[in-house]
Amino acid sequence: NKRFFSFKERLLLRLLVATQLQRYTFIFNPPKKSAVFKNNLEDRQVVFTWFNDFLKAIGVGPYACFFFYAAVLCVCFFVFLTDYKKYAKWMVPLFLISFIWFEEFVIRQCFSWSFVFILLKLLHILNKDQEKKKLSKVVKIKIYIGILGISYIIYGTHSANLFVVLVVLAFYVANRIIPWKIAVPIYVFAAYFFSAVFKGDFISQYLILLQGFDSKLDGYANEGDKWFDTTNDIGNVRGGAIKLLETWGTVALIYYGNKVYELHRNRLYVMIYNTFVFGTILRHAFFHLEILNRLGLVLEILWFVPLSFVAVDYKKMRQTKNEVWFRIGLIWYFFEYVKYIAFRSADRMLFLWDM
């Protein structure tokens, strides 16, 4: 309908305004092939190169390519959304809030992440089969092949997202929700104690042993002090009041996310919720270490799914009067978006690797 396409067009145009167009246009159309690998593209990430070659073959220029990166993200998301129509009125805007920094700040990794939505869709189909036992063995085999294929596309676009695939599949197989009574204490410990005492500079020493195995690892090893030293955290700083507000909101979503499960007991929801919780704990445990922080972020980014469920189903939950304070804490997720749009610091105008 008109409303759908109007939002889609606005979303694509918003995502099109990426922060480092000149840098990515050089990657898109380099003077020679070797130059691609000198701009943080590893020789094993061939899918991204293939996609750019395809765009050039159909006449897409070095600036218009960003429209196609954003379009792929949107299309993959809306494919995923077909299984959650009931929650679309919340999930669509929350998706934009959750992903806007990702699309603008880490462009290629976000493009790779787009296909995670297709992975989630395939797992949803597989889960429906296990519940209703309607799919034939041939169809199941096709789904498994599809999962392998989409996993390769994700890896072949940005190798770091293979971690996302492994975590998602692990939680799908486990099919047990992380209880909030366990998740909340671990999160608080990670955010306030572990992150304060953990030193990551020793990681760079061990990465030297892995030089030569992978071009990405070579880059991290050569700049280990930048990526694994707490004295060089790249903008990962929280003031006391902001950190408390973040804790308030995160604990609230972990708690309410568990209560949503009591209503649905859905395997796909468990997988997504657990991925969010694990990512949150990982990010806060290594808050001042850029690489590990980012590994947590690309898992935590799924927070928009449980929050959408909470927004739609909260009236069905058993609640006490005191729980209103938890609901207020959820404002945190909107605060982050407003801060990113209206009060962005100068370093956040840069692409991650140029900071």
Side-chain angles (χ1 to χ4, degrees), residues 81 101-102 124 153 204 312 350 352:
L81 188 64
W101 71 268
F102 198 19
H124 183 88
I153 291 174
S204 59
V312 173
L350 298 174
L352 175 66

PDB file of all heavy atoms in Angstrom, residues 81 101-102 124 153 204 312 350 352:
ATOM      1  N   LEU A  81       9.938  -9.863   8.205  1.00  0.00           N
ATOM      2  CA  LEU A  81       8.763  -9.289   8.868  1.00  0.00           C
ATOM      3  C   LEU A  81       7.469 -10.022   8.519  1.00  0.00           C
ATOM      4  O   LEU A  81       6.489  -9.937   9.263  1.00  0.00           O
ATOM      5  CB  LEU A  81       8.644  -7.806   8.490  1.00  0.00           C
ATOM      6  CG  LEU A  81       7.604  -6.963   9.224  1.00  0.00           C
ATOM      7  CD1 LEU A  81       7.936  -6.864  10.717  1.00  0.00           C
ATOM      8  CD2 LEU A  81       7.529  -5.562   8.617  1.00  0.00           C
ATOM      9  N   TRP A 101      22.448   3.472  12.875  1.00  0.00           N
ATOM     10  CA  TRP A 101      23.886   3.694  13.121  1.00  0.00           C
ATOM     11  C   TRP A 101      24.706   2.629  12.397  1.00  0.00           C
ATOM     12  O   TRP A 101      25.799   2.896  11.896  1.00  0.00           O
ATOM     13  CB  TRP A 101      24.186   3.646  14.620  1.00  0.00           C
ATOM     14  CG  TRP A 101      24.076   2.254  15.190  1.00  0.00           C
ATOM     15  CD1 TRP A 101      22.976   1.680  15.741  1.00  0.00           C
ATOM     16  CD2 TRP A 101      25.099   1.258  15.218  1.00  0.00           C
ATOM     17  NE1 TRP A 101      23.238   0.377  16.103  1.00  0.00           N
ATOM     18  CE2 TRP A 101      24.529   0.094  15.798  1.00  0.00           C
ATOM     19  CE3 TRP A 101      26.434   1.225  14.819  1.00  0.00           C
ATOM     20  CZ2 TRP A 101      25.271  -1.085  15.981  1.00  0.00           C
ATOM     21  CZ3 TRP A 101      27.163   0.053  14.991  1.00  0.00           C
ATOM     22  CH2 TRP A 101      26.575  -1.077  15.568  1.00  0.00           C
ATOM     23  N   PHE A 102      24.182   1.409  12.349  1.00  0.00           N
ATOM     24  CA  PHE A 102      24.895   0.282  11.746  1.00  0.00           C
ATOM     25  C   PHE A 102      25.093   0.522  10.247  1.00  0.00           C
ATOM     26  O   PHE A 102      26.177   0.329   9.699  1.00  0.00           O
ATOM     27  CB  PHE A 102      24.078  -0.983  11.991  1.00  0.00           C
ATOM     28  CG  PHE A 102      24.843  -2.274  11.819  1.00  0.00           C
ATOM     29  CD1 PHE A 102      26.221  -2.307  11.858  1.00  0.00           C
ATOM     30  CD2 PHE A 102      24.152  -3.469  11.631  1.00  0.00           C
ATOM     31  CE1 PHE A 102      26.917  -3.502  11.708  1.00  0.00           C
ATOM     32  CE2 PHE A 102      24.832  -4.670  11.487  1.00  0.00           C
ATOM     33  CZ  PHE A 102      26.224  -4.679  11.521  1.00  0.00           C
ATOM     34  N   HIS A 124      12.706 -20.024  10.655  1.00  0.00           N
ATOM     35  CA  HIS A 124      11.278 -19.956  10.984  1.00  0.00           C
ATOM     36  C   HIS A 124      10.504 -21.013  10.199  1.00  0.00           C
ATOM     37  O   HIS A 124       9.645 -21.705  10.763  1.00  0.00           O
ATOM     38  CB  HIS A 124      10.739 -18.561  10.653  1.00  0.00           C
ATOM     39  CG  HIS A 124       9.297 -18.380  11.016  1.00  0.00           C
ATOM     40  ND1 HIS A 124       8.900 -17.948  12.269  1.00  0.00           N
ATOM     41  CD2 HIS A 124       8.157 -18.594  10.318  1.00  0.00           C
ATOM     42  CE1 HIS A 124       7.580 -17.891  12.320  1.00  0.00           C
ATOM     43  NE2 HIS A 124       7.104 -18.277  11.149  1.00  0.00           N
ATOM     44  N   ILE A 153      27.092 -16.535   2.007  1.00  0.00           N
ATOM     45  CA  ILE A 153      26.926 -15.161   1.531  1.00  0.00           C
ATOM     46  C   ILE A 153      27.265 -14.173   2.645  1.00  0.00           C
ATOM     47  O   ILE A 153      27.943 -13.159   2.411  1.00  0.00           O
ATOM     48  CB  ILE A 153      25.482 -14.939   1.032  1.00  0.00           C
ATOM     49  CG1 ILE A 153      25.248 -15.735  -0.257  1.00  0.00           C
ATOM     50  CG2 ILE A 153      25.201 -13.459   0.802  1.00  0.00           C
ATOM     51  CD1 ILE A 153      23.824 -15.707  -0.748  1.00  0.00           C
ATOM     52  N   SER A 204      46.414  -8.580  21.752  1.00  0.00           N
ATOM     53  CA  SER A 204      47.198  -8.237  20.572  1.00  0.00           C
ATOM     54  C   SER A 204      48.488  -9.038  20.510  1.00  0.00           C
ATOM     55  O   SER A 204      49.004  -9.345  19.429  1.00  0.00           O
ATOM     56  CB  SER A 204      47.514  -6.738  20.565  1.00  0.00           C
ATOM     57  OG  SER A 204      48.244  -6.379  21.729  1.00  0.00           O
ATOM     58  N   VAL A 312       3.496  -4.726  22.140  1.00  0.00           N
ATOM     59  CA  VAL A 312       2.194  -5.228  21.705  1.00  0.00           C
ATOM     60  C   VAL A 312       1.516  -6.063  22.798  1.00  0.00           C
ATOM     61  O   VAL A 312       0.296  -5.976  22.997  1.00  0.00           O
ATOM     62  CB  VAL A 312       2.343  -6.069  20.416  1.00  0.00           C
ATOM     63  CG1 VAL A 312       1.016  -6.741  20.044  1.00  0.00           C
ATOM     64  CG2 VAL A 312       2.833  -5.190  19.268  1.00  0.00           C
ATOM     65  N   LEU A 350      32.421   9.975  11.080  1.00  0.00           N
ATOM     66  CA  LEU A 350      33.402   9.234  10.321  1.00  0.00           C
ATOM     67  C   LEU A 350      33.039   7.764  10.238  1.00  0.00           C
ATOM     68  O   LEU A 350      32.311   7.251  11.086  1.00  0.00           O
ATOM     69  CB  LEU A 350      34.784   9.367  10.973  1.00  0.00           C
ATOM     70  CG  LEU A 350      35.385  10.779  11.061  1.00  0.00           C
ATOM     71  CD1 LEU A 350      36.671  10.725  11.868  1.00  0.00           C
ATOM     72  CD2 LEU A 350      35.629  11.346   9.678  1.00  0.00           C
ATOM     73  N   LEU A 352      34.001   3.905  10.770  1.00  0.00           N
ATOM     74  CA  LEU A 352      34.693   3.317  11.920  1.00  0.00           C
ATOM     75  C   LEU A 352      36.204   3.273  11.768  1.00  0.00           C
ATOM     76  O   LEU A 352      36.944   3.668  12.660  1.00  0.00           O
ATOM     77  CB  LEU A 352      34.151   1.887  12.148  1.00  0.00           C
ATOM     78  CG  LEU A 352      34.857   1.094  13.253  1.00  0.00           C
ATOM     79  CD1 LEU A 352      34.599   1.728  14.605  1.00  0.00           C
ATOM     80  CD2 LEU A 352      34.387  -0.335  13.255  1.00  0.00           C
TER      81      LEU A 352
END
